[in-house]
Amino acid sequence: MRRFLRPGHDPVRERLKRDLFQFNKTVEHGFPHQPSALGYSPFFRLMAIGTRSGAIKLYGAPGVEFMGLHEENNTVMQIHFIPDQCQLVTLLDDNSLHLWSLKQHKGASELREEHRFTLKGPPGSPPSATQVTAVLPHSSREVLYLGTESGNIFVVELPSFRVLEDRTITPEAVLQRIPEDNCNRRSCELVEALREHPKNPSQILIGYSRGLIVLWDLQNNKATHHFLGSQQLENLYWQRDGSKFISCHSDGSYTQWPVSSDNRQSEPLENTVPYGPFPCKAISKIYWQTTKNGLPYIIFQGGMPRASYGDRHSISVIHGSQQTAFDFTSRVIDFFIIFTSDPAAEFEDPAALVVLAEEELVVIDLKSAGWPAVHPPYLASLHCSAITCSHHVSNIPLKLWERIISAGSKQNIHYSSMPWPIDGGTNIAPDPPQRDLLLTGHEDGTVRFWDASGVCLHLLYKLSTVRVFLTDADPNDNMNTLGEDEWPPLRKVGTFDPYSDDPRLGIQKIYLCKYSGYLAVAGTAGQVLVMELNDEDAEHVVDHAEADLLQDQEGYRWKGHEKLKTRDGPVRFEAGFQPFVLVQCHPPAVVTSLALHSEWKLVAFGTSHGFGLFDHQQKRLVFVKCTLHPSDQLALEGPLSRVKSLKKSLRQSFRRIRRSRVSSRKRRGGGGNSSEVQEANARFDQDALQEMELAPVQRKIEARSAEDSFTGFVRTLYFADTFLRDSSRHCPSLWAGTNGGTVYAFCLRVPPAERRMDEPVRAEQAKEIQLMHRAPVVGILVLDGRSTPLPEPLEVAHDLSKSPDMQGSHQLLVVSEEQFKVFTLPKVSSKLKLKLTALEGCRVRKVTVANFGSCKTDDYSENDLAVLTNLGDIQIISLPFLKLQIRYPCIRKEDVSGIASCVFTKYGQGFYLISPSEFERFSLSTKWLVEPRCIVDVPEVTSNNHVHKSGTENAARKS
């Protein structure tokens, strides 16, 4: 049997791999990209959001999430829950209707598509005849009423979607009951709204676009009342007792209409233009909610004066003398009110206003004074300022976690204390095994700390670096302040703010030490801030230091942006992470790499010009190293510069093509020598790689010229306590890898703790390695005598890791974009290498060490490399023998921003941006899996009356 096994095939290892590795995309964090529709079920207290890409997402209590995707990928136009049922209907922009149900499967609920249907007219009829504009799920749960552009209202049976043609309400049937002098055929075109009578299910209100409103008797198939509006109709809303309804119109007005038993034609009670008398925008939706104190809540979208406020996205709330127009920074998609859902209740008593805007979800507490916003536990607006970088920290100590939450709670005092009102369903997922943080850096100079432990990505704390610098905007400005007499009474709400005061503030790199509480952040203009956690507000001077990365070079002139100006004197900081030192790089280029060693109190930083080391305890620059090549002119132009030379770019492209042709001719001419070299290399690595299964054809790695631009770009920095000078003494060291395939190693002398403030940290360059193929170095790692990666700083001191083996020989792993190579230390002789074997053009984009535990036993775990390539594949490679374990397709290779945004966790999970506002979470581990697992209890259906009764009781209990 053995001779039939592929070389390297080990059945025991294959079984172990199945216990260790499994790829799953588990949950999407953040705010849905390009939302287009909103729905709500008062009975189940579930909210549904549809998007332009055809996705539909349901949300309830924190942790209760469901997702479905229409096969057509068309825009979701409307979402309607079937009353008191775990079913909803979606209308897409291709005029198709889809029925979705929550079904229980393996102890949890799942969202499934049950049926789909497209309304078709008679042969030869225009598309407008069946173009659906309004949908009404009837309380009987047996039929849907579909209003169309042609004015016809079709009745469709549920769940079969069979059209009941004999019950169609035609414009001709409506006009028969209305006096001819009041209406004509065009009055019954385009059904704008359909509303069921709150007390009499056999009556529905039909609103036509041109202003005609008809109360239709379903049993007798006739119009009992008609109402003539003078303006184009936008929407309708019934008052709770059914004696009146409200219509809103395109001129910014709303009208109250009485429904009397004796008059077939009714005159309006009152017509109101809330922001008149000047021309106003349309009021597109309105609620009129009754309360116990007698004063109604009137809530409507739009209606602002067209000339001065036509560009505002507003929803107004009026309650007696209290009136506020909530001003959103993005377009309002839809909104709903959460109120008492028990039909037997006399009043609605609204509790919360839920608004879906284009870029965020905002919930307003209508019960508390001042109508404050409610802090959302999910659907966070991740992109309130554009995300520029991410950093994940696993297994946060409880003390640090509580201090971060405490700092965040002081920032949230302006939020309402109301419990989250959308609380349907039950989260049955196990509690997260540990506390994880995801830190996102943003274009406006802020860093946000997210609780990434479970399904809900929840904002814990926001840090701003703006106070350190002088910008055009005053951080004390409050955009929400209003003058007493200002009209309209606008109030900004929401966190979405895509505009940055200065693009140089953007955060590019973040490094948090979870044991010491030190945080380093670096930005677009060469600024590096080191911070520590303080539980109280404080005012102090931020120390400054300059790092001139071009100090030994002549003839270079920086053409990019200037550095940020800093504030003089003491600066007041809120409780939380407070900067105590600023290192400013010169030239002020983007910081491309960052490392922090909190035990040695050192921070290393790199740009496209070089790298430096700073002692943040003594607040002293240890050294700088310029990595700039004489031909690296593009590195001096900066990302915000507009002076890049097209001529030079073309010239470099032609040079690369020419070199490629020359090298290919050389390879063809020297085939014999090449094969001898390959055989020698094979013999050299045979012992270590005898188990390795190689692809049939390995891509040849072409050497790059030192003349290629950005060769001095510092890609990675790494601290290690290892053997650098000789095999008898280990010492602290700093390693740096560049875009040109160069690795620099510096020996560091860090004084002992008792003399730490008296003696300076010293550094001396010990090694310089030049990779022959000159591919960018994206990762550096030192393995101890047990071939285990060195622990993090302070990890051993906190008894969370074994002490590294300093007896056996250490190894250095250098990961470039095109290969993995292991060197022995301290001699730095090549021991092992693995060329990246994939399709042509495959390159490493991200690499990290991840710990994978077995799902079968707690006694076994191993460290492997998790690698993301430019093709969007994820490869798991074993340590220390660099054997490919498994490959998974994860991200589309065309999704360059998604690949660039990917961040791995320490335990085999990862995050990447699938849109500017959403992270996709995935897992490579069988043991560490964070995914929604929830259940929505569905009442037993024996008869319609029984279901309606139990639904009422349930809703009354929850409200």
Side-chain angles (χ1 to χ4, degrees):
M1 240 354 243
R2 287 182 174 274
R3 65 185 179 191
F4 294 106
L5 293 175
R6 294 197 313 274
H9 182 79
D10 182 353
V12 176
R13 179 62 188 174
E14 293 300 314
R15 284 196 298 272
L16 183 57
K17 281 158 62 172
R18 287 195 291 271
D19 295 343
L20 293 172
F21 312 124
Q22 182 180 353
F23 179 74
N24 290 286
K25 291 186 178 180
T26 56
V27 67
E28 293 177 2
H29 295 302
F31 184 75
H33 185 50
Q34 295 182 327
S36 55
L38 178 68
Y40 180 67
S41 169
F43 179 76
F44 289 105
R45 299 175 77 92
L46 294 174
M47 173 179 65
I49 296 176
T51 71
R52 291 190 206 171
S53 59
I56 178 169
K57 300 184 179 186
L58 269 63
Y59 300 93
V64 177
E65 296 185 14
F66 305 95
M67 179 178 171
L69 185 65
H70 297 87
E71 289 183 8
E72 297 81 358
N73 289 342
N74 286 9
T75 298
V76 180
M77 303 298 291
Q78 296 183 37
I79 301 174
H80 300 273
F81 281 87
I82 307 300
D84 304 346
Q85 293 288 293
C86 262
Q87 292 182 311
L88 63 153
V89 172
T90 56
L91 171 67
L92 304 190
D93 64 352
D94 65 353
N95 207 41
S96 62
L97 289 157
H98 302 254
L99 180 65
W100 297 81
S101 297
L102 283 173
K103 299 283 188 180
Q104 290 197 16
H105 178 67
K106 295 182 179 179
S109 298
E110 293 181 351
L111 183 64
R112 297 179 185 173
E113 185 177 358
E114 299 286 329
H115 299 284
R116 65 185 64 191
F117 164 76
T118 301
L119 189 62
K120 296 179 181 178
S125 61
S128 63
T130 54
Q131 184 67 45
V132 178
T133 56
V135 179
L136 172 64
H138 195 262
S139 60
S140 65
R141 298 171 295 281
E142 296 174 350
V143 293
L144 286 177
Y145 290 90
L146 306 178
T148 63
E149 278 189 7
S150 63
N152 287 300
I153 299 168
F154 296 92
V155 186
V156 177
E157 190 177 51
L158 287 176
S160 64
F161 278 135
R162 183 171 64 91
V163 179
L164 305 176
E165 296 182 0
D166 58 324
R167 295 172 62 177
T168 300
I169 304 171
T170 64
E172 291 74 21
V174 172
L175 289 171
Q176 285 178 4
R177 300 287 178 168
I178 298 173
E180 293 184 8
D181 55 343
N182 288 341
C183 293
N184 55 40
R185 174 63 181 84
R186 297 195 66 185
S187 300
C188 292
E189 289 180 357
L190 204 157
V191 178
E192 197 71 57
L194 294 171
R195 297 287 180 266
E196 183 179 334
H197 195 291
K199 298 296 184 183
N200 185 356
S202 65
Q203 292 183 334
I204 62 171
L205 201 60
I206 306 169
Y208 296 95
S209 177
R210 288 180 173 269
L212 174 64
I213 305 167
V214 173
L215 185 61
W216 188 263
D217 186 338
L218 298 173
Q219 289 184 340
N220 299 311
N221 206 30
K222 67 175 184 178
T224 60
H225 297 73
H226 68 274
F227 313 85
L228 293 174
S230 59
Q231 295 292 332
Q232 180 176 318
L233 181 70
E234 294 288 329
N235 221 319
L236 298 170
Y237 184 79
W238 276 108
Q239 290 194 18
R240 193 173 187 83
D241 60 2
S243 63
K244 294 189 287 288
F245 68 88
I246 316 297
S247 63
C248 54
H249 302 273
S250 61
D251 65 342
S253 67
Y254 63 85
T255 305
Q256 293 186 66
W257 302 88
V259 180
S260 57
S261 57
D262 50 352
N263 291 331
R264 295 187 62 244
Q265 179 178 349
S266 299
E267 296 297 325
L269 284 176
E270 182 183 4
N271 181 268
T272 306
V273 183
Y275 296 111
F278 302 107
C280 294
K281 291 178 67 178
I283 293 179
S284 56
K285 187 173 182 178
I286 191 166
Y287 281 81
W288 184 292
Q289 304 262 283
T290 56
T291 61
K292 293 176 183 176
N293 65 9
L295 294 172
Y297 276 86
I298 306 167
I299 304 169
F300 56 88
Q301 177 184 346
M304 283 280 137
R306 189 177 296 276
S308 303
Y309 300 93
D311 59 341
R312 300 298 182 102
H313 314 290
S314 68
I315 291 180
S316 298
V317 180
I318 303 173
H319 180 58
S321 60
Q322 195 177 358
Q323 180 168 349
T324 299
F326 294 103
D327 186 13
F328 300 86
T329 53
S330 59
R331 184 172 61 91
V332 174
I333 303 298
D334 201 355
F335 73 99
F336 61 84
I337 309 297
I338 296 177
F339 56 89
T340 304
S341 54
D342 182 3
E346 188 177 353
F347 307 102
E348 282 124 334
D349 281 328
L353 162 66
V354 181
V355 183
L356 176 66
E358 200 164 38
E359 305 291 354
E360 62 186 327
L361 183 82
V362 178
V363 178
I364 304 295
D365 177 4
L366 298 177
K367 291 286 190 183
S368 302
W371 299 333
V374 182
H375 194 52
Y378 49 74
L379 284 175
S381 182
L382 298 174
H383 64 316
C384 45
S385 174
I387 294 176
T388 49
C389 66
S390 303
H391 175 65
H392 188 275
V393 188
S394 299
N395 207 7
I396 302 292
L398 178 60
K399 186 175 181 181
L400 176 63
W401 186 264
E402 290 174 341
R403 293 178 71 190
I404 291 173
I405 290 177
S406 174
S409 64
K410 293 175 183 176
Q411 295 177 336
N412 295 334
I413 55 174
H414 59 282
Y415 280 106
S416 167
S417 59
M418 166 188 273
W420 185 244
I422 305 166
D423 56 1
T426 305
N427 179 17
I428 58 174
D431 291 334
Q434 60 186 29
R435 295 169 293 274
D436 288 354
L437 274 179
L438 179 66
L439 281 68
T440 54
H442 297 264
E443 190 181 45
D444 62 355
T446 59
V447 177
R448 285 170 168 81
F449 290 63
W450 306 92
D451 178 0
S453 314
V455 171
C456 296
L457 195 68
H458 179 60
L459 181 64
L460 299 178
Y461 164 70
K462 184 180 83 169
L463 161 71
S464 177
T465 62
V466 178
R467 288 184 177 272
V468 180
F469 306 103
L470 289 170
T471 60
D472 294 335
D474 185 345
N476 296 315
D477 285 349
N478 186 353
M479 299 179 68
N480 288 337
T481 54
L482 286 175
E484 292 184 4
D485 300 324
E486 183 168 338
W487 187 261
L490 288 164
R491 187 177 113 200
K492 279 198 175 292
V493 286
T495 59
F496 179 71
D497 183 10
Y499 306 108
S500 173
D501 297 329
D502 193 326
R504 295 174 297 173
L505 290 167
I507 305 296
Q508 297 296 330
K509 295 292 174 183
I510 306 170
Y511 197 105
L512 171 67
C513 175
K514 61 186 178 184
Y515 303 112
S516 65
Y518 283 115
L519 172 70
V521 297
T524 303
Q527 70 270 29
V528 180
L529 285 163
V530 185
M531 311 184 186
E532 59 185 342
L533 194 55
N534 190 343
D535 297 328
E536 302 294 334
D537 294 2
E539 187 172 359
H540 60 258
V541 175
V542 178
D543 290 297
H544 293 187
E546 305 285 331
D548 184 4
L549 298 173
L550 296 179
Q551 59 183 168
D552 297 327
Q553 304 290 327
E554 295 181 359
Y556 289 105
R557 185 169 62 87
W558 172 247
K559 303 174 186 176
H561 51 264
E562 296 179 353
K563 69 175 184 178
L564 285 159
K565 294 179 180 178
T566 55
R567 294 181 183 271
D568 296 326
V571 181
R572 183 158 189 83
F573 297 101
E574 297 176 338
F577 286 95
Q578 298 172 352
F580 61 89
V581 67
L582 164 67
V583 183
Q584 178 61 57
C585 299
H586 292 287
V590 172
V591 177
T592 57
S593 54
L594 186 69
L596 177 71
H597 200 293
S598 49
E599 189 173 357
W600 302 338
K601 304 293 192 297
L602 299 174
V603 60
F605 49 89
T607 72
S608 53
H609 307 112
F611 60 96
L613 181 66
F614 186 80
D615 178 353
H616 65 75
Q617 184 166 359
Q618 293 189 10
K619 298 175 183 174
R620 172 182 165 275
L621 189 66
V622 179
F623 78 90
V624 292
K625 170 73 175 177
C626 180
T627 56
L628 204 62
H629 190 273
S631 65
D632 280 349
Q633 291 299 319
L634 283 180
L636 292 166
E637 295 186 352
L640 306 180
S641 171
R642 299 180 183 273
V643 296
K644 288 190 177 181
S645 168
L646 176 62
K647 190 183 297 183
K648 180 169 183 179
S649 299
L650 289 171
R651 187 164 63 243
Q652 289 169 342
S653 299
F654 282 119
R655 281 179 183 170
R656 278 194 288 269
I657 293 170
R658 207 160 45 236
R659 284 198 300 271
S660 177
R661 288 173 178 168
V662 170
S663 61
S664 64
R665 282 199 297 270
K666 287 180 179 177
R667 285 198 298 271
R668 286 198 297 271
N673 294 334
S674 176
S675 63
E676 290 174 9
V677 172
Q678 288 178 358
E679 289 174 7
N681 287 339
R683 284 196 302 273
F684 181 82
D685 291 339
Q686 186 174 6
D687 292 338
L689 291 173
Q690 59 183 354
E691 293 288 321
M692 181 169 287
E693 184 180 348
L694 297 177
V697 178
Q698 279 208 343
R699 174 174 172 263
K700 293 185 177 181
I701 298 174
E702 181 181 324
R704 306 182 187 199
S705 167
E707 295 178 10
D708 285 352
S709 292
F710 287 110
T711 56
F713 185 117
V714 179
R715 292 287 290 268
T716 183
L717 292 163
Y718 177 70
F719 285 108
D721 186 356
T722 187
F723 301 93
L724 199 51
R725 292 195 178 279
D726 56 60
S727 57
S728 60
R729 289 178 300 171
H730 57 89
C731 66
S733 62
L734 172 65
W735 301 76
T738 72
N739 222 38
T742 306
V743 177
Y744 301 95
F746 281 75
C747 274
L748 307 178
R749 184 187 173 280
V750 182
E754 61 272 12
R755 300 195 304 274
R756 184 64 178 81
M757 288 300 294
D758 301 325
E759 299 179 11
V761 175
R762 300 190 184 279
E764 183 181 352
Q765 184 169 337
K767 307 285 184 186
E768 182 174 335
I769 308 166
Q770 178 62 60
L771 301 178
M772 295 302 293
H773 58 290
R774 298 183 184 275
V777 177
V778 295
I780 298 173
L781 183 67
V782 172
L783 306 176
D784 69 6
R786 292 188 293 263
S787 298
T788 302
L790 295 182
E792 295 178 16
L794 297 174
E795 192 172 11
V796 175
H798 284 75
D799 297 326
L800 294 171
S801 175
K802 292 181 180 178
S803 297
D805 183 352
M806 308 304 282
Q807 304 302 318
S809 60
H810 284 197
Q811 301 172 77
L812 170 69
L813 170 64
V814 177
V815 181
S816 76
E817 282 190 354
E818 299 180 351
Q819 73 177 18
F820 304 80
K821 197 162 188 176
V822 175
F823 300 88
T824 60
L825 287 177
K827 291 185 178 180
V828 194
S829 57
S830 177
K831 179 181 179 182
L832 193 66
K833 68 179 174 182
L834 170 66
K835 296 177 182 178
L836 194 62
T837 53
L839 298 175
E840 187 69 26
C842 183
R843 297 176 186 271
V844 175
R845 284 290 176 258
K846 305 276 182 175
V847 62
T848 195
V849 175
N851 183 268
F852 292 92
S854 170
C855 63
K856 297 289 181 64
T857 174
D858 293 334
D859 298 332
Y860 183 80
S861 67
E862 66 180 43
N863 292 308
D864 298 288
L865 291 177
V867 180
L868 175 69
T869 73
N870 64 328
L871 302 179
D873 292 337
I874 291 179
Q875 302 180 15
I876 298 175
I877 296 171
S878 67
L879 287 174
F881 296 113
L882 303 183
K883 185 174 180 180
L884 177 64
Q885 300 300 296
I886 202 158
R887 178 187 288 115
Y888 300 111
C890 180
I891 310 172
R892 292 181 301 108
K893 64 180 180 181
E894 298 85 7
D895 186 4
V896 178
S897 61
I899 293 172
S901 67
C902 183
V903 56
F904 288 109
T905 78
K906 192 177 177 181
Y907 295 98
Q909 297 185 66
F911 302 81
Y912 68 94
L913 288 171
I914 54 175
S915 74
S917 59
E918 291 171 290
F919 275 113
E920 176 83 71
R921 186 180 193 136
F922 62 87
S923 175
L924 306 169
S925 170
T926 57
K927 188 173 182 180
W928 300 91
L929 197 66
V930 175
E931 60 181 349
R933 184 168 174 81
C934 41
I935 191 166
V936 176
D937 292 321
V938 182
E940 294 293 329
V941 179
T942 56
S943 70
N944 286 338
N945 290 335
H946 171 75
V947 173
H948 192 72
K949 180 181 177 183
S950 64
T952 301
E953 291 172 353
N954 187 38
R957 282 196 303 271
K958 290 206 128 187
S959 59

